[in-house]
RNA sequence: GCCCUGGUGGUGGAAUUGGUAGACACGCAGGACUUAAAAUCCUGUGAUCAGCAAUGGUCGUGCGGGUUCAAGUCCCGCCCGGGGCACCA
């Protein structure tokens, strides 16, 4: 065999491992380039052909950059804390660390086979105590920080305490849930416990009673991004709302910076848009409405202060604490009933039930700040307690939800913006002239918004305000297999575990379930107390440790930094490593992390930047989302009620049910291996098959790759049959990296054949056959067209088109029977990022030693590309009719003259004289008749 | 509902950003080599009409308009697929 890929690939993989070919240099004169893949969670199922897609693309870039003279950091590791290993542990009693270790071994084996140029010496695992020591350390920095909005930066909590001691809360501009002002005297007189209660409202990692997403089936809380349509993202279990004491991270402090930062990074527009939606900035005003006959006020947030004269009632969320205070005696019963009803509804029901209007009058009235009119106060579950102030001013004429509410309960609808018909629906558009609105009359909506805010501020009724939809991130999980939160409790007050006692390692437990009392699994640890002098001690001594662990995204929020300096024992990353590597130049991974990992990571980096740990604002300069590789399922058509199958073309004649067929039993022409199919399952053994033209054909459909659809293709099988280089090139050839596309094993023969063809340029049978003759013009042109294209394509991440370009060039050289060193040497280097094993083999065959990976990448020479003639398409009224080869040196006029003199031109003119002749040199001739 | 994407042969996809639509590959059809198969190589392959044929005509990039000598590409209005957000005031 002239292309013995199995032997070649094994040989060079060993060579790379033995020579440490891809070790990134600590420091270097070379410019740095950091290419990162989203590290995988090592699941038990192993990789299917969809997983390596992004890794192949990043590997091509890494290898290309090495050829271009960069010091490339291209690491890999494992996001090894997670639910599946824990659930397996619950079922079997096996420690999740063991399962994880086994899965990692399998992953490593699969990854190694594909020939990636990872620097494995820097491997990280989030579940490794040497790694999570620093995850815990970062958590403690967050715990010890508050956010100063005046400086727009986080600061040490000590600075806040000093301020409180000297001046109380006056002059503090912080992101906080604290609403009560106090003086220095009051502060200094507080007990430690009371002080800590207040500080918790400022810390960036804090404990608070908050409504959380509780998943009873998983026995843990979930972050907002882990819940989809009221179900847990993992497992699809129902999620309910529950009030719990929870650790949270104050990501909301960074909302504006997270939003602004998007403008300086090269990410896809759709991804940025997802993050913008998630952060959900809206501008408006907060306005205080006084209550009739009471001291309290209702504060609302509105984005439409211009419609303030259209307010005809107020609505509070049922959970709003004000409700109980203001409800009049006569309505107490019905309000209580409504609240109970609302509390019973799960988030999911509430979402599903958007169309049903419900609410209850409280008996109380607010007073319109400008008109003095009395406004009835209602409660309704369309108002959310967790957004804004949990209260709205209702402008039914210009808000569809308020409109529905007003119609249902027959409340007044007052139009204040011209331009819509409000007899059937509200007019929500922000266009038109304001009417019926006193000092706002005659203004455009935009002007009215500004004027209304100015007036509200002037009268002390409120102020302009920006609101974000982003919520603080719930950080505690009632699980075993995660990073322990390094906190202990003294008199119920949380204290940080000392740095010298980090990592706080997971305790040994006898089972991985929550306890019978519903406490997290860590409560089963027999040695899970803490003494600030001694560290972890047995229960009964010292103080109790926190029992929840960190969520899956904790470790992944900073792992990119650890690769820069994986063995550092003094810091997550050294100043030197940070200064050299800075941040990730190219990050490739799936778009499913848009509002989870990618947002949290940006948050942690901004925080670490504030702390002076790192120098960069953003972790990932450029990000590409690789598309999903879908499966091409195969179906056999079973005749309803019979054990009989009909071929695809005949199924119209029968009533059939499609049955999934394992794609491995179908060939490239969609023919089913009937014998294999019969042997597949007992019930099929006696089946009858009706063929067409002697063939039994299956139907095809594109679906997500999944075991249950029998359409999963394993890379190991592909590598076994065609080799890793073929797999790599075929995955790239399938289509644009960012696009989702179906896998079809049938097409792979094209790429495999190409690699064989390439080999044949260098070899004659088993022997190397290379000539030192000078290359001719045509050969050089073919090569240099390719050099130019490949360079451009890699820079543009358009790998599918470079594979085509390789095919075109190799086809051309094959026809010319070119075996000249002058052509074949650069060709081997060009293809090395794509098919590295074969490239190494060819390079060695050309007589080189020392490997190909650092050989400079070819640069094209324009001289060889220069054309002296061009085949002009000649079009009449824009329709191409014939072509004429002309010298490119001919000017416009000369071309026109030549073309007009042609006999063929005369035929098409058919006696008419052209109105106009357009000549675009080197492009086209168009004759307008 | 709002926001991002995308829509090109039987299939995956190209098209230098306004200049020959369908590169490259799969599949299909035919042929060469072979006892045969595999492998390899060659030819054809958007639809449709006319012709024995070389060839020629018409249509054709989701739909309907428009700009232009020229539109897959630009503009206006729709339709459909994929994704994000969503009683967010």
């Amino acid at each position: 065999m002239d292309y013995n890929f199995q032997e070649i690939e094994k040989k060079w993989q060993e060579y790379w491992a033995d020579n440490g070919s891809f070790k990134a240099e600590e420091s270097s004169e070379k410019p740095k380039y950091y290419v990162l893949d989203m590290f995988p969670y090592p699941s038990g199922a192993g990789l299917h052909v969809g997983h390596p897609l992004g890794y192949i693309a990043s590997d091509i870039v890494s290898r290309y950059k090495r050829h271009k003279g960069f010091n490339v950091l291209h690491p890999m590791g494992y996001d090894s804390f997670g639910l599946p290993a824990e659930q397996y542990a619950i079922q079997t009693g096996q420690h999740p660390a063991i399962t994880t270790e086994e899965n990692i071994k399998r992953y490593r084996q699969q990854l190694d086979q594909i020939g990636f140029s990872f620097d494995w010496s820097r491997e990280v695992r989030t579940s490794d105590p040497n790694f999570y020591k620093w995850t815990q350390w970062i958590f403690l920095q967050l715990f010890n920080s508050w956010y100063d909005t005046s400086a727009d930066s986080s600061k040490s909590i000590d600075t806040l305490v000093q301020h409180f001691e000297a001046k109380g809360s006056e002059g503090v501009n912080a992101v906080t849930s604290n609403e009560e002002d106090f003086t220095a005297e009051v502060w200094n007189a507080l007990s430690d416990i009371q002080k800590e209660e207040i500080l918790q409202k400022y810390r960036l990692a804090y404990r608070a009673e908050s409504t959380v997403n509780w998943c009873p089936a998983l026995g843990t809380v979930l972050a907002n991004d882990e819940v989809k349509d009221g179900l847990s993202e993992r497992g699809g279990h129902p999620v309910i709302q529950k009030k719990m004491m929870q650790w949270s991270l104050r990501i909301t402090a960074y909302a504006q910076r997270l939003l602004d930062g998007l403008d300086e990074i090269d990410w896809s527009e759709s991804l940025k848009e997802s993050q913008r939606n998630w952060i959900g900035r809206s501008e408006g005003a907060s306005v205080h409405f006084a209550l009739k006959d009471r001291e309290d006020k209702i504060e609302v947030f509105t984005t439409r202060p211009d419609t303030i004269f259209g307010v005809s009632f107020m609505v509070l969320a049922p959970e709003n604490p004000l409700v109980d205070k203001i409800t009049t005696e006569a309505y107490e019963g019905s309000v209580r009933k409504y609240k109970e009803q609302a509390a019973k509804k799960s988030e999911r029901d509430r979402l599903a039930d958007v169309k049903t209007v419900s609410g209850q009058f409280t008996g109380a009235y607010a007073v319109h700040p400008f008109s003095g009119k009395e406004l009835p106060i209602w409660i309704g579950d369309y108002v959310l307690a967790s957004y804004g102030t949990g209260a709205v001013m209702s402008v039914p004429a210009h808000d569809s939800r308020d409109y529905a509410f007003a119609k249902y309960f027959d409340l007044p609808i007052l139009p204040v913006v011209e331009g819509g018909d409000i007899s059937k629906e509200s007019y929500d558009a922000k266009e038109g002239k304001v009417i019926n609105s006193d000092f706002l009359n005659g203004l455009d909506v935009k002007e009215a918004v500004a004027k209304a805010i100015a007036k509200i501020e002037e009268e002390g009724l409120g102020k302009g305000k920006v609101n974000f939809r982003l919520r603080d991130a719930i950080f505690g999980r009632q699980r075993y297999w995660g990073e322990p939160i390094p906190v202990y409790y003294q008199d119920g007050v949380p204290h940080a575990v000392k740095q010298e006692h980090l990592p706080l390692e997971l305790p040994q437990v006898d089972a991985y379930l929550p306890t019978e009392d519903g406490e997290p699994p860590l409560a089963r640890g027999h040695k899970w107390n803490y003494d600030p002098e001694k560290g972890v001690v047995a229960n009964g001594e010292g103080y109790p440790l926190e029992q929840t662990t960190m969520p899956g995204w904790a470790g992944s929020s900073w792992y990119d930094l650890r690769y820069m300096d994986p063995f550092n024992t003094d810091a997550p990353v050294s100043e030197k490593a940070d200064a050299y590597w800075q941040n990730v130049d190219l990050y490739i991974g799936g778009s499913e992390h848009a509002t989870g990992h990618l947002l949290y990571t940006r948050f942690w980096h901004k925080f670490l930047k504030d702390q002076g740990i790192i120098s960069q604002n953003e972790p990932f300069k450029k990000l590409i989302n690789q598309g999903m590789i879908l499966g091409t399922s195969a179906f056999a058509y079973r005749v309803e009620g019979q054990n009989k199958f009909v071929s695809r073309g005949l199924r119209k004649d029968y009533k059939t049910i499609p049955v999934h067929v394992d794609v491995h039993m179908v060939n490239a022409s969609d023919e089913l291996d009937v014998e294999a199919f019969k042997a597949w399952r007992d019930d099929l053994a006696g089946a009858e098959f009706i063929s067409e033209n002697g063939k039994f054909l299956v139907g095809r459909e594109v679906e997500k790759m999944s075991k249950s659809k029998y359409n999963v293709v394993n890379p190991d099988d592909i590598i076994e049959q065609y080799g890793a280089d073929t797999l790599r090139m075929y995955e790239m050839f399938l289509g644009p990296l960012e696009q989702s596309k179906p896998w079809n094993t049938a097409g792979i023969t094209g790429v495999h054949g190409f690699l064989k063809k390439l080999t044949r340029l260098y070899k004659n049978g088993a022997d190397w056959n290379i000539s030192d003759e000078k290359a001719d013009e045509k050969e050089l042109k073919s090569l240099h067209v390719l050099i130019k294209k490949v360079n451009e394509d890699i820079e543009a991440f358009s790998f599918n088109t470079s594979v085509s370009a390789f095919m075109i060039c190799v086809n051309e050289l094959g026809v010319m029977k070119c075996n000249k060193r002058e052509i074949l040497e650069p060709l081997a280097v060009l293809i090395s990022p794509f098919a590295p094993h074969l490239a190494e083999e060819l390079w060695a065959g050309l007589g080189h030693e020392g490997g190909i990976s650092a050989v400079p990448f070819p640069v094209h020479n324009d001289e060889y590309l220069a054309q002296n003639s061009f085949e002009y398409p000649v079009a009449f009224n824009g329709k191409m009719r014939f072509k004429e080869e002309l010298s490119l040196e001919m000017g416009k006029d000369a071309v026109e003259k030549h073309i007009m003199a042609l006999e063929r031109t005369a035929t098409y003119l058919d006696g008419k004289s052209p109105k106009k002749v357009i000549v675009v040199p080197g492009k086209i001739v168009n004759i307008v008749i």
Side-chain angles (χ1 to χ4, degrees):
Chain A
M1 205 188 340
D2 32 317
Y3 176 38
N4 189 345
F5 52 85
Q6 279 170 344
E7 195 181 292
I8 293 173
E9 290 177 1
K10 189 165 168 265
K11 172 170 141 196
W12 291 104
Q13 281 165 13
E14 279 168 15
Y15 174 89
W16 295 329
D18 294 347
N19 288 275
S21 302
F22 309 118
K23 269 188 101 139
E25 295 162 44
E26 282 303 327
S27 59
S28 169
E29 291 297 296
K30 294 178 185 172
K32 70 98 188 184
Y33 196 83
Y34 185 1
V35 190
L36 185 63
D37 293 293
M38 290 185 187
F39 62 168
Y41 172 76
S43 83
L47 299 169
H48 67 59
V49 287
H51 295 118
L53 180 74
Y55 303 160
I56 294 170
S58 66
D59 197 56
I60 289 171
V61 175
S62 304
R63 288 174 178 272
Y64 168 78
K65 289 286 178 182
R66 282 190 203 99
H67 285 298
K68 285 277 178 182
F70 287 83
N71 181 24
V72 172
L73 175 55
H74 185 40
M76 184 44 93
Y78 304 96
D79 191 11
S80 45
F81 272 133
L83 211 46
E86 172 156 335
Q87 283 179 329
Y88 189 72
I90 291 171
Q91 285 160 24
T92 64
Q94 187 179 71
H95 197 285
I98 297 171
T99 321
T100 303
E101 183 67 36
E102 280 170 7
N103 292 346
I104 285 177
K105 264 197 199 130
R106 165 111 179 89
Y107 262 66
R108 177 65 190 271
Q109 201 184 2
Q110 283 192 298
L111 291 171
D112 279 348
Q113 278 191 88
I114 305 174
F116 292 124
S117 65
F118 294 127
D119 179 355
W120 283 107
S121 72
R122 292 169 183 259
E123 178 191 316
V124 303
R125 299 177 185 187
T126 53
S127 61
D128 179 347
N130 291 322
F131 181 87
Y132 71 66
K133 171 182 176 179
W134 296 106
T135 311
Q136 292 173 331
W137 183 85
I138 294 169
F139 172 84
L140 291 181
Q141 309 309 304
L142 286 158
F143 178 72
N144 285 321
S145 298
W146 65 292
Y147 201 88
D148 183 350
T149 46
S150 308
D152 208 9
S153 172
S154 60
K155 287 184 176 168
S156 162
I157 197 82
D158 299 340
T159 62
L160 186 67
V161 172
Q162 281 159 19
H163 187 109
F164 285 165
E165 284 168 356
K167 297 177 191 157
S169 63
E170 203 193 327
V172 171
N173 284 309
V175 176
T176 174
S177 49
N178 184 39
E179 281 163 358
E180 279 157 49
D181 290 331
F182 49 83
T183 60
E185 290 71 41
V186 171
W187 171 263
N188 291 323
L190 293 175
S191 72
D192 284 354
I193 295 177
Q194 288 168 320
K195 282 180 183 167
E196 184 52 38
E197 261 169 29
I198 291 176
L199 288 179
Q200 284 287 327
K201 295 179 177 173
Y202 289 85
R203 294 183 188 274
L204 294 185
Y206 64 97
R207 246 164 73 90
E209 170 100 332
S210 48
T211 308
V212 298
N213 304 303
W214 174 256
C215 180
L218 296 175
T220 186
V221 298
L222 297 171
N224 284 346
D225 69 285
E226 293 169 317
V227 182
K228 283 252 141 71
D229 300 323
L231 299 173
S232 68
E233 199 174 31
R234 274 192 189 263
H237 306 291
V239 173
I240 59 167
Q241 304 297 300
K242 191 174 165 185
K243 281 222 160 192
M244 279 177 87
M245 201 62 174
Q246 277 303 323
W247 281 100
S248 294
L249 298 190
R250 212 176 293 279
I251 187 173
T252 49
Y254 286 84
Q256 188 62 49
R257 282 166 69 187
L258 288 168
L259 197 59
D260 293 342
L262 291 172
D263 294 333
E264 57 183 76
I265 48 183
D266 185 6
W267 293 15
S268 75
E269 202 41 51
S270 63
L271 197 72
K272 288 187 185 181
E273 210 46 43
S274 291
Q275 292 213 343
R276 288 193 188 107
N277 280 337
W278 190 260
I279 296 167
R281 181 191 153 102
S282 56
E283 284 179 45
S286 81
V287 189
H288 299 279
F289 284 70
L291 292 176
K292 187 188 163 197
D293 310 326
R294 284 186 67 96
E295 280 296 295
D296 294 298
K297 281 179 174 174
I298 298 181
E299 188 187 347
V300 300
F301 174 74
T302 177
T303 56
R304 295 295 302 273
D306 56 310
T307 62
I308 194 154
F309 286 94
V311 177
S312 54
F313 55 98
M314 311 287 290
V315 184
L316 304 182
E319 301 87 353
N320 192 316
L322 213 53
V323 173
D324 290 336
K325 286 200 213 166
I326 62 167
T327 302
T328 60
E329 227 170 292
Y331 289 91
E332 256 170 21
S334 29
V335 164
R336 187 172 1 99
K337 221 166 117 195
Y338 184 77
K339 281 177 64 174
E340 278 166 14
Q341 239 175 44
K344 251 187 258 163
K345 275 198 216 171
S346 70
E347 178 89 338
R348 191 169 161 73
D349 294 341
R350 221 159 129 167
L351 286 175
D353 208 16
V354 168
K355 286 192 190 76
T356 322
V357 177
S358 74
Q360 173 61 46
F361 181 46
T362 61
Y365 289 87
V367 181
H368 194 284
F370 294 117
S371 71
K373 258 199 308 200
E374 289 185 5
L375 307 166
I377 302 171
W378 288 66
I379 58 175
D381 67 2
Y382 82 96
V383 177
L384 306 175
S386 52
Y387 183 74
T389 58
V392 301
M393 59 175 223
S394 283
V395 186
H398 305 292
D399 181 285
S400 50
R401 296 149 308 179
D402 295 345
Y403 187 88
F405 197 85
K407 277 274 171 185
Y408 190 83
F409 291 110
D410 202 19
L411 294 160
I413 298 171
L414 317 168
V416 290
V417 181
E418 260 179 352
D421 170 16
I422 57 158
S423 61
K424 293 247 159 51
E425 56 180 6
S426 59
Y427 176 65
D428 294 8
K430 295 180 183 178
E431 272 164 35
K433 290 247 181 292
V434 175
I435 51 168
N436 303 330
S437 295
D438 192 358
F439 58 90
L440 298 175
N441 281 337
L443 298 175
D444 285 332
V445 166
K446 246 192 171 165
E447 299 164 346
V449 170
K451 181 140 186 201
I453 293 176
K455 189 84 173 177
I456 286 163
E457 289 184 350
E458 204 179 296
E459 310 253 313
L461 298 166
K463 55 184 179 188
K465 196 179 170 186
V466 174
N467 228 0
F468 293 96
R469 196 176 53 231
L470 184 71
R471 307 293 158 78
D472 281 344
I474 307 285
F475 199 66
R477 295 289 183 278
Q478 289 68 17
R479 288 186 199 152
Y480 177 75
W481 194 229
E483 302 88 344
I485 292 179
V487 161
Y488 66 95
Y489 294 90
Q490 206 173 327
D491 301 324
V493 175
H495 292 271
V497 165
K498 283 188 180 167
Q499 190 177 334
E500 66 208 64
H501 292 135
L502 297 182
L504 176 63
E505 291 196 43
L506 276 167
Q508 290 299 324
V509 293
D510 41 26
Y512 303 95
L513 286 164
T515 66
E516 271 121 53
D517 317 334
E519 288 183 300
L522 291 199
R524 294 177 182 272
H526 301 301
K527 198 182 163 195
W528 198 238
N529 271 19
Y530 181 76
D531 182 321
E533 300 308 318
K534 298 188 225 162
V536 177
V537 290
N539 298 356
E541 301 175 49
Y543 305 104
L545 279 159
E546 169 65 42
Q547 292 172 346
T548 60
T549 53
M550 299 188 195
W553 48 266
S556 62
S557 293
W558 74 282
Y559 77 113
D560 55 297
L561 298 173
R562 193 60 178 172
Y563 285 129
M564 298 176 184
D565 195 10
F567 308 111
N568 194 325
T569 51
D570 303 321
V573 56
S574 72
E575 211 172 303
K576 192 176 153 219
D578 168 72
Y580 180 70
W581 293 109
Q582 300 194 28
N583 54 11
V584 175
D585 294 281
L586 175 65
Y587 195 33
I588 297 185
S591 56
E592 66 274 18
H593 299 107
T595 52
H597 161 62
L598 289 173
L599 197 63
Y600 296 128
T601 306
R602 295 183 57 227
F603 159 43
W604 280 37
H605 280 66
K606 287 178 190 302
F607 170 72
L608 292 171
K609 164 101 203 273
D610 287 351
Q611 298 295 306
I613 311 289
I614 60 171
S615 57
Q616 300 298 310
N617 267 313
E618 289 286 340
F620 314 119
K621 263 191 265 194
K622 180 171 179 69
L623 180 132
I624 293 180
N625 290 128
Q626 88 273 22
M628 209 191 323
I629 292 196
L630 302 163
T632 310
S633 305
F635 296 91
Y637 300 92
R638 184 202 284 265
V639 179
E640 210 177 293
Q642 297 179 51
N643 199 9
K644 190 199 256 179
F645 291 84
V646 294
S647 182
R648 179 172 73 198
L650 304 171
R651 73 173 190 274
K652 297 181 242 38
D653 307 335
Y654 300 82
K655 212 171 170 207
T656 60
I657 304 162
V659 178
H660 271 106
V661 169
D662 193 312
V663 290
H664 296 94
M665 298 186 296
V666 179
N667 74 5
S669 314
D670 288 351
E671 277 176 72
L672 178 67
D673 181 341
V674 173
E675 291 313 311
F677 185 57
K678 278 182 173 174
W680 192 32
R681 283 199 322 238
D682 291 348
D683 62 307
L684 300 169
E688 217 185 305
F689 293 84
I690 304 176
S691 306
E692 51 183 316
N693 308 323
K695 295 171 180 174
F696 188 92
L697 301 180
V698 297
R700 292 287 199 172
E701 211 172 295
V702 173
E703 301 178 292
K704 225 172 153 168
M705 246 187 219
S706 124
K707 243 184 190 170
S708 64
K709 290 170 179 142
Y710 302 103
N711 60 5
V712 175
V713 181
N714 186 313
D716 303 12
D717 298 341
I718 300 291
I719 290 171
E720 164 87 28
Q721 203 180 345
Y722 299 101
D725 285 335
T726 299
L727 174 77
R728 292 170 62 109
M729 288 200 96
Y730 186 53
E731 294 225 358
M732 292 300 102
F733 186 60
L734 280 176
L737 180 60
E738 300 192 57
Q739 195 174 301
S740 284
K741 57 237 159 197
W743 175 269
N744 181 4
T745 305
I748 204 166
T749 54
V751 171
H752 189 63
F754 155 75
L755 289 176
K756 285 192 203 166
K757 225 180 203 176
L758 174 72
T759 309
R760 281 200 297 273
L761 293 176
Y762 295 76
K763 287 174 105 172
N764 191 356
D767 304 320
W768 294 99
N769 176 33
I770 310 232
S771 145
D772 284 320
E773 223 182 305
K774 272 221 82 51
D776 66 29
E777 219 175 276
K778 272 175 81 180
E779 292 163 335
L780 284 167
K781 186 177 169 191
S782 190
L783 173 71
H784 283 255
V785 165
L786 179 67
I787 295 174
K788 184 160 188 262
K789 180 83 178 141
V790 170
N791 275 281
E792 286 169 358
D793 280 352
I794 296 179
E795 297 285 351
F797 308 99
S798 176
F799 306 110
N800 55 325
T801 50
S802 17
V803 178
S804 304
F806 276 116
M807 289 172 169
I808 293 168
C809 177
V810 168
N811 284 344
E812 285 171 1
L813 294 176
V815 170
M816 293 185 258
K817 299 209 171 6
C818 172
N819 68 338
K820 297 171 186 162
R821 176 177 295 276
E822 194 182 346
I823 302 296
L824 298 187
E825 279 196 350
L827 183 60
V829 182
L830 276 180
I831 205 154
S832 123
F834 296 83
H837 310 87
L838 180 56
E840 289 277 18
E841 182 71 10
L842 298 176
W843 191 246
L846 286 160
H848 297 284
E849 276 175 34
I852 200 172
S853 56
V855 175
F857 211 62
V859 176
H860 79 273
N861 183 341
D862 277 323
E863 258 172 58
Y864 299 128
L865 301 180
Q867 306 223 351
N868 35 32
S869 70
F870 177 75
E871 201 174 25
Y872 277 92
V874 181
F876 292 78
N877 288 339
K879 279 180 193 162
M880 205 279 288
R881 295 301 181 184
F882 63 86
K883 289 177 188 174
E884 179 74 4
E885 175 116 17
L886 291 174
S887 163
L888 276 170
E889 276 161 32
M890 285 169 79
K892 261 188 180 185
D893 294 343
V895 171
E896 179 173 344
K897 213 168 146 194
H898 179 98
I899 296 289
M900 293 315 288
L902 290 173
E903 216 172 286
R904 281 183 292 181
T905 307
T907 323
Y908 284 102
L909 282 176
D910 196 23
K912 292 169 211 146
S913 61
K915 281 188 198 142
K916 204 171 177 183
V917 178
I918 286 138
V919 177
V920 185
K923 285 264 163 81
I924 200 168
V925 177
N926 191 16
I927 298 166
V928 188
I929 313 173

